[in-house]
Amino acid sequence: MSQRTKIKALLQSQQTEIDVTVKGWVRAFRSNRFIALNDGSTNNNIQVVVDFENTDPALLKRITVGAALSVQGKLIASLGKGQTVEVVATDIEILGDSDPEKYPIQPKKHSLEFLRENAHLRFRTSTFSAIFRVRNSLAFAVHQFFQERGFVYLHTPIITASDAEGAGETFHVTNFDLDNIPKTDTGEIDFKQDFFGRAANLTVSGQLEGELGAMALSDIYTFGPTFRAENSNTTRHLAEFWMIEPEVAFNDIVDNMDLAEDMLKYVIKYTLDKNADDIEFLTQRLEEEEKTKPQNERSEMTLLEKLQFCLNNDFERLTYTEAIQILRDSTPNKKKKFQYPVEGWGTDLQSEHERYLVEKHFKKPVILTDYPKEIKSFYMRQNDDGKTVAAMDILFPGIGEIVGGSQREERLDKLEQRMDEIGIPKDELWWYLDTRRFGTCPHAGFGLGFERLVLFVTGMGNIRDVIPFPRFPKNAEF
Ligand code: 4AD
Ligand code: MG
């Protein structure tokens, strides 16, 4: 393999008049002379100057948008405007042709919907290459944050027999012949004959297994794919998404909030520094998009300002009960502007309510705590009032819920009592209950929806655009 210099490095090169090899895909070719070449290392293209008078016309014809090229030449200070350096080609090799009549990605603005249908090629656009570089940095920063603090990265299973959230939104995992599923004498599916000898599913959360790890390693985190068969065709739900779930022994709900807030700020700061160009590009993209909206729907801050604002301000912390009061008294509620009126204490908040709190009332990220136990999972620690649990949801502008977590119920009797109340089979979760039997201790954790974080940091509007190959109802293409 020949040496190649990445375009990002070339564009920053202090040295000129040096021989270089550069490889990438043609973004544009104008005047039979100037190739805009991109290799994904940066959103900026390197300009390759072709000596067309001394180049075989047959070769020139093959320099089309989307073609893969290997170029040898000299890096020189640019004579033209718009770039500081450029490559004067001495040799151009076409590694892969791209038929301009058929190649879907043209040097013009394509709709995000069109690009979703061409997700195999959308990486080659400025928007999507920026998004996926930002996603990469956020993922790296998550690991760096936890590693710096001595957390152990724990790989929890993807195939499991439990439904951690108890919401019944799991995908089945089976290798039964679907045309001939074994039945018991009483006519039920005989899972004993299935691969695992029992019903199994894709995990909705690694939390329960993560808790087992925390009960020995103290500080753990998971970062893996999770799956939910909820039929929600929204801009914030995926059937396959990535979740980060730290779990910390000896932490209480306040420690848990501090950890989540610190982590969010850390990874956003890291990415702002590391991907300044990409964030700037995405900020401009969003500004363009906002211009197409009516004035009253445009956001007051640019993407960059929103991110900086998030870093520079404490998240607002209040209880669910306080939030309900604010929502009841709010103008949109009184004027019946909410699609769902704010119901009494005890009901779950709709995302329009969450967004009102964050975007209109507090105008900053909000952490809501102490939700009614009826609307939260069985494992959350029961508060002394008998009505609420030590839950925490973090709500972000434009996103709504980005983090869900809690202090866990570490008292065996309380946990068992709650499981009985809501009908969670204790025998199936014997291993989970064992941690409460042997050396139980206060502990807390949360789950961060990774794509919702990427959505926030990139300023994109649809979660399907921040994961390389989105899975959602009626779609598993690519
Ligand atoms: O609030 P959730 O359901 O919490 C849990 O799963 C806990 N076991 C986490 C824990 O305490 N360890 O999900 C956590 C986060 C949500 O706040 C949201 O950001 C994201 O996961 N999320 C989704 N993201 C994309 N598509 C979906 N269908 C999502 N469902 C949840
Ligand atoms: Mg939640």
Side-chain angles (χ1 to χ4, degrees), residues 81 123 229 235 267 303:
K81 283 208 183 91
F123 302 108
T235 55
V267 300
L303 174 62

Side-chain angles (χ1 to χ4, degrees), residues 165 228 348 354 375-377 379-380 392-393 401-405 447 452:
E165 293 304 298
R228 294 193 187 179
D348 214 349
E354 295 176 343
I375 58 171
K376 290 292 180 189
S377 300
Y379 51 70
M380 297 193 180
M392 56 166 240
D393 274 10
E401 180 191 336
I402 195 165
V403 164
R452 294 201 184 166

Side-chain angles (χ1 to χ4, degrees), residues 164-165 204-207 228 230 232 236-247 376 379-380 393-394 401-406 408 445-452 463:
E165 293 304 298
V204 296
S205 157
Q207 177 195 325
R228 294 193 187 179
E230 50 194 340
S232 21
R236 290 180 321 279
H237 289 87
L238 290 164
E240 176 181 299
F241 62 99
W242 289 65
M243 197 168 13
I244 294 130
E245 294 184 276
E247 193 67 38
K376 290 292 180 189
Y379 51 70
M380 297 193 180
D393 274 10
I394 304 188
E401 180 191 336
I402 195 165
V403 164
S406 71
R408 315 307 188 188
F446 62 84
L448 165 67
F450 186 56
E451 283 74 21
R452 294 201 184 166
I463 200 163

Side-chain angles (χ1 to χ4, degrees), residues 410-466:
E410 85 284 11
R411 298 162 296 187
L412 182 63
D413 55 335
K414 298 257 183 202
L415 184 57
E416 287 190 321
Q417 180 202 333
R418 189 71 192 135
M419 290 170 81
D420 287 340
E421 275 168 20
I422 47 185
I424 297 192
K426 288 188 302 223
D427 51 339
E428 277 178 26
L429 287 181
W430 62 272
W431 44 271
Y432 184 69
L433 291 169
D434 260 6
T435 51
R436 274 66 172 173
R437 291 193 182 102
F438 309 115
T440 192
C441 71
H443 60 289
F446 62 84
L448 165 67
F450 186 56
E451 283 74 21
R452 294 201 184 166
L453 172 66
V454 184
L455 208 48
F456 179 70
V457 177
T458 57
M460 297 299 290
N462 191 323
I463 200 163
R464 296 173 188 176
D465 293 332
V466 299

